[in-house]
């Protein structure tokens, strides 16, 4: 532990400088205009892995953005940890709400502000630096493989293909991911589940062109109004989702499981104050912790129709569109939920409009085991670094690839995240505490140490 | 009549060339980026009025865009016609749906395609050319004043001030406006009423920043969903507007009046086919003609929230916005309707969101008299030019200033429009039939002739 702290202290500024370089790349995978930047990011990650001591580093081409692979095999007889992360980021919109530009990282109040600071550049880069530390201090206790992708924010479709095709190269005993949150530095926690995702887009068409709202208003269905009515009908009075069959496969938690989850520290007033809302909203009969961690949801991620510029335009629009996503819990299936949504949405469309539903991407929900050697190693590492036993929590976000690792590689995942829920992931002013960044670099070598030791003892 | 036809035949191409010049100015009043173009348009209109023979031509400054004034007083003892029109146009968005660029006029299939072709450049310019014709052929039978404004599409607020301040200069016996539609060249018609307008914008705020829809989804109200629910609730199952008091002042038509209106030719199958819809929508218990002409309506003119770019972003938005307008009928009042909407919308807002309602502009509904000398003159002019008596109709659109002319100047208006409902006003590919343009120039001198004669005989 002492040599870990010393190495971090000796390289503090350089670690941060390198992360800042990484954060300056606008690696937005969703928007084709950033293509060259996303590719440059992959090259930067590969270079840094090599510098840190990884071998066989390769920027592996895919049908989309490349996957950066690297490894250090010190002894084939020792266990192997596969570290997964992603170098792509969410779009920075709405730009005008950023206090400082999203791709010009700065530190304010001990926090790094930049798109990707927490999700996931700041977090996967802790692994690169922890790896360097173990190499430089001669303390790497097991084999390690890195797989850092560039399409996590758009559904990881090509990673799925890559994993299926590269089973030998990716062979490992456990997957280790830092792309989730902990409660706080005072309340360290480990996520033991992730929600799945079905993301789609709907288009409602009324008249075949935009119309004058005076000449035609009142006689022709307005697709914006109809889409509003259709969206409004997707939740009932208890804020439950009305799509027939939607809850059929939902794994209801036992009373004991619910009790355990609700032991996590949660202050409703602080939660509301942080978000600037007077009241919370959610499915009746569940707590906030349950709603975000164990219940499926349906959200409008975007909606647009008609004239949205300055001033006024008296138009009756031809089309109305929405991006809608559903978070899924075990044992819902992304593809099945898409079909249920599509069938329902087409059914509720009134005769005066046409609807088109297009899938974007999806991912399956996962629950990670809490009785595995890897999870125990993570618990011990966090406890030693933070001085407190971590609380198990359920994460509301999705990392679509986790369930695929299990299916394709037959291995489980440990989610050892160091972000905070309040880090503005996917929002303006995304941030990551500098303290959490260093604490992560400190915890990761301990994970490897305990994992190797427990595997040996097993 | 023969000299009218001859003069038009002799100047056919020049009339069209001048209109094309006028249509090339992108005089979009709603969007500040077109400011210089709107001002240039005013200067062009003033120059053309002068060339046609108007005197005291002035580009009158206002707090917004200027009003172009010009006149020809041949004898103070004769009646005076005040011609009103507007040189500003609607925004051309969505640009990608135009077959040819909105400000590069072209003729296809006998129709002029350009933003403003019908609304209102093509129509007010008929008056400028009819005036030139009467001057050149020595047939102007009465005094004429022109008032062509540049803010009709954004509510005419500064015209209201101008009219109030310039009563002497604007003194006239009747207002003549061509900014409405007729049924067709085969079924000439005259509008005898216009709907009023209340245009506003709503903003619904949930959390104080965009959130990650996985981390917070299910626990915090999504303003896009809430706005959808609020908009959905504004119409009931009979498609009636649910705002308390909304219909209180509506002037219900008698059975005889309704019968008369429904005599106008209307082919529902053709109407649906033209719009590409399988079914119509509207307030139960009324025909399409009644719905668009005599009943108030509420339309979403624009809605936006969250991520609306390429690809997917799993965001739970902070804000959702909509532009909403209501068309009003006698004796609804624009200001009162705004207050009713605001009170209702604030009342239905659930505790987990904040709402802000901002007025854009408004206008009062009008009914023009059908027993006046001016209306009889218009009927006779149309009958002579088209060979058929015009059908009285009620227009669904709004020209907010008409009721103000009545209040401030104490004079009535005649709506002698030559557009068609299908001219794509406010839509991509706005058009105006070349034949209607020339027919208008032919009809207008006849109006002046009959108006002067009937006034003299009176």
């Amino acid at each position: 532990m002492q040599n870990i702290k010393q190495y971090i202290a000796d390289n503090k500024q350089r670690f941060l400088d390198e992360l800042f370089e990484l954060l300056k790349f606008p690696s937005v995978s969703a928007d084709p205009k950033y293509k060259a930047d996303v590719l440059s990011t992959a090259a930067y990650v590969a270079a840094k892995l090599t510098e840190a001591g990884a071998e066989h580093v390769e920027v592996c081409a895919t049908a989309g953005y490349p996957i950066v692979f690297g490894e250090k095999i010190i002894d084939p007889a020792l266990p192997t940890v596969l570290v997964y992360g992603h170098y792509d980021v969410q779009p920075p919109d709405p730009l005008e709400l950023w206090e400082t530009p999203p791709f010009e990282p700065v530190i304010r109040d001990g926090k790094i502000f930049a798109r990707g600071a927490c999700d996931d550049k700041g977090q996967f880069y802790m692994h690169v630096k922890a790896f360097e530390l173990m190499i430089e201090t001669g303390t790497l206790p097991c084999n390690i493989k890195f797989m850092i992708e560039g399409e996590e924010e758009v559904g990881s479709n090509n990673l799925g293909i890559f994993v299926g095709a590269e089973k030998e190269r990716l062979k490992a005993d456990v997957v280790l991911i830092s792309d989730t949150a902990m409660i706080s530095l005072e309340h360290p926690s480990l996520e033991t589940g992730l929600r799945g995702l079905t993301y789609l887009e709907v288009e409602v068409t009324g008249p075949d062109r935009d119309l004058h709202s005076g000449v035609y208003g009142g006689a022709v269905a307005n697709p914006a109004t109809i889409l509003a009515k259709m969206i409004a009908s997707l939740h009932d009075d208890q804020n439950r989702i009305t799509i027939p069959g939607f809850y059929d496969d939902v794994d209801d938690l036992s009373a004991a499981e619910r009790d355990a989850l609700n032991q996590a520290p949660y202050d409703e007033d602080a939660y509301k104050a942080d978000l600037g809302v007077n009241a919370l909203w959610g499915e009746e009969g569940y707590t906030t912790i349950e709603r975000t961690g164990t219940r499926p949801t349906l959200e409008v991620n975007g909606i647009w129709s008609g004239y949205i510029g300055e001033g006024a335009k008296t138009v009756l629009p031809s089309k109305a569109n929405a991006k809608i996503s559903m978070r899924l819990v075990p044992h819902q299936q992304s593809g099945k939920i898409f079909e249920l949504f599509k069938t329902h949405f087409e059914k509720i469309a009134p005769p005066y409009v046409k609807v088109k539903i297009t899938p974007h991407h999806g991912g399956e929900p996962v629950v990670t085991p809490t009785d595995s050697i890897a999870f125990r190693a993570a618990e011990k590492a966090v406890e030693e670094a933070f001085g407190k036993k971590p609380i198990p929590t359920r994460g509301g976000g999705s990392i679509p690839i986790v369930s695929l690792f299990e299916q394709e590689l037959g291995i489980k995942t440990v989610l050892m995240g160091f972000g905070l829920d309040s880090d503005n992931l996917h929002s303006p002013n995304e941030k990551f505490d500098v303290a959490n960044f260093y604490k992560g670099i400190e915890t990761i070598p301990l994970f490897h140490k305990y994992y190797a030791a427990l595997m040996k003892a097993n």
Side-chain angles (χ1 to χ4, degrees), chain A residues 200-230:
Chain A
L200 50 83
E201 200 159 318
V202 301
E203 180 177 87
V204 174
T205 304
D208 63 6
R209 60 188 182 274
D210 284 3
L211 301 175
H212 186 298
S213 70
V215 177
Y216 290 96
V220 183
N222 182 322
T225 307
I226 303 303
L227 177 59
K229 282 194 184 269
M230 293 173 79

Side-chain angles (χ1 to χ4, degrees), chain A residues 290-452:
Chain A
E290 291 167 345
R291 286 166 176 172
T292 55
T294 70
R295 299 297 299 171
T297 59
L298 181 150
E299 297 292 343
V300 176
N301 303 111
I303 184 169
W304 67 103
S305 176
Y307 183 67
I308 62 177
E310 278 278 317
K313 187 172 185 240
T314 47
V315 66
L316 193 165
S318 168
K319 286 180 193 296
N321 298 72
K323 293 179 196 274
I324 293 174
S325 66
M326 288 155 281
R327 298 280 170 173
L328 314 179
V329 299
H331 299 100
Q332 290 179 300
Q333 289 166 346
S334 177
K336 180 175 170 190
I337 292 294
F338 173 78
E339 290 304 327
L340 289 176
F341 179 96
K342 187 167 187 283
T343 303
H344 178 65
F345 209 72
E346 285 170 349
K347 198 176 144 210
I348 63 173
Y352 24 80
V353 297
K354 299 176 192 79
V355 301
K356 197 172 88 184
I357 297 138
T358 316
H360 261 298
H361 64 271
E364 305 305 330
V366 284
V367 172
T368 60
T370 53
D371 56 0
S372 67
I373 287 176
F375 191 79
R376 290 209 321 271
E379 280 185 314
K380 284 172 76 75
V382 170
E383 189 172 358
E384 182 168 340
F386 290 78
K388 258 185 204 171
K389 219 173 142 69
I391 302 161
T393 63
R394 284 286 191 97
S398 308
I399 308 176
I401 209 67
V402 172
S403 68
L404 199 113
F405 290 149
E406 199 168 325
Q407 284 166 44
E408 293 288 334
L409 304 178
I411 51 176
K412 299 285 186 181
T413 292
V414 168
L415 300 166
M416 197 165 71
F418 296 91
L420 301 177
D421 276 351
S422 57
D423 276 341
N424 297 331
L425 310 189
H426 298 205
S427 309
N429 305 307
E430 179 176 346
K431 63 184 168 64
F432 190 35
D433 278 54
V434 177
N436 291 43
F437 176 64
Y438 291 125
K439 209 68 184 170
I441 301 175
E442 187 183 322
T443 309
I444 292 163
L446 296 170
F447 169 82
H448 289 278
K449 184 179 105 175
Y450 289 118
Y451 181 64

Side-chain angles (χ1 to χ4, degrees), chain A residues 20-219:
Chain A
F20 270 42
E21 281 307 302
L22 178 59
L23 292 170
K24 284 176 187 166
F25 291 95
S27 50
V28 180
S29 51
D31 190 338
K33 81 172 182 225
Y34 294 104
K35 187 172 179 188
D37 299 301
V38 183
L39 296 173
S40 305
T41 317
Y44 180 85
V45 172
K48 287 292 153 187
L49 272 178
T50 305
E51 278 173 38
E55 294 167 352
H56 310 122
V57 173
E58 185 182 340
V59 176
C60 308
T62 74
Y65 288 119
I67 293 154
V68 183
F69 179 85
E71 65 182 8
K72 181 76 185 179
I73 307 298
I74 54 172
D75 179 351
L78 289 172
T80 302
V81 176
L82 175 60
V83 174
Y84 164 84
H86 64 93
Y87 63 83
D88 65 323
V89 299
Q90 280 276 314
D93 317 65
L95 277 173
E96 67 277 13
L97 295 184
W98 284 80
E99 286 180 36
T100 48
F103 299 109
E104 297 175 21
V106 290
I107 293 178
R108 282 196 306 275
D109 303 329
K111 295 162 185 72
I112 305 158
F113 284 87
R115 170 58 83 227
C118 179
D119 180 14
D120 178 47
K121 286 173 173 173
Q123 293 217 63
F124 90 72
Y125 206 66
M126 298 180 315
H127 286 271
V128 180
K129 293 298 99 178
F131 171 63
E132 174 198 308
L133 180 157
M134 292 185 283
I135 293 286
E136 293 296 322
T137 58
T139 56
L140 182 64
C142 58
N143 304 312
I144 191 163
K145 294 179 178 180
F146 286 93
M147 176 169 61
I148 314 297
E149 71 150 322
E151 298 187 314
E152 198 272 343
E153 302 293 2
V154 290
S156 301
N157 286 334
N158 292 302
L159 185 72
I161 296 164
F162 181 79
V163 168
E166 298 280 352
K167 287 181 187 173
E168 194 51 41
R169 171 144 64 157
L170 299 174
K171 206 170 173 190
D173 298 281
V174 71
V175 180
L176 178 63
I177 304 179
S178 296
D179 192 19
T180 52
M182 63 191 326
I183 298 170
S184 67
L185 285 179
E186 296 71 40
H187 297 290
S189 58
L190 286 169
E191 292 195 5
T192 61
L194 288 166
R195 291 197 283 192
L197 185 72
T198 296
Y199 200 117
L200 50 83
E201 200 159 318
V202 301
E203 180 177 87
V204 174
T205 304
D208 63 6
R209 60 188 182 274
D210 284 3
L211 301 175
H212 186 298
S213 70
V215 177
Y216 290 96

Side-chain angles (χ1 to χ4, degrees), chain A residues 241-259:
Chain A
I241 295 153
T242 56
I243 300 165
F246 185 82
Y247 291 98
D248 281 0
D249 299 327
V250 168
D251 190 16
D252 284 314
L253 270 63
S254 68
E257 286 174 304
R258 292 177 68 175
D259 272 354

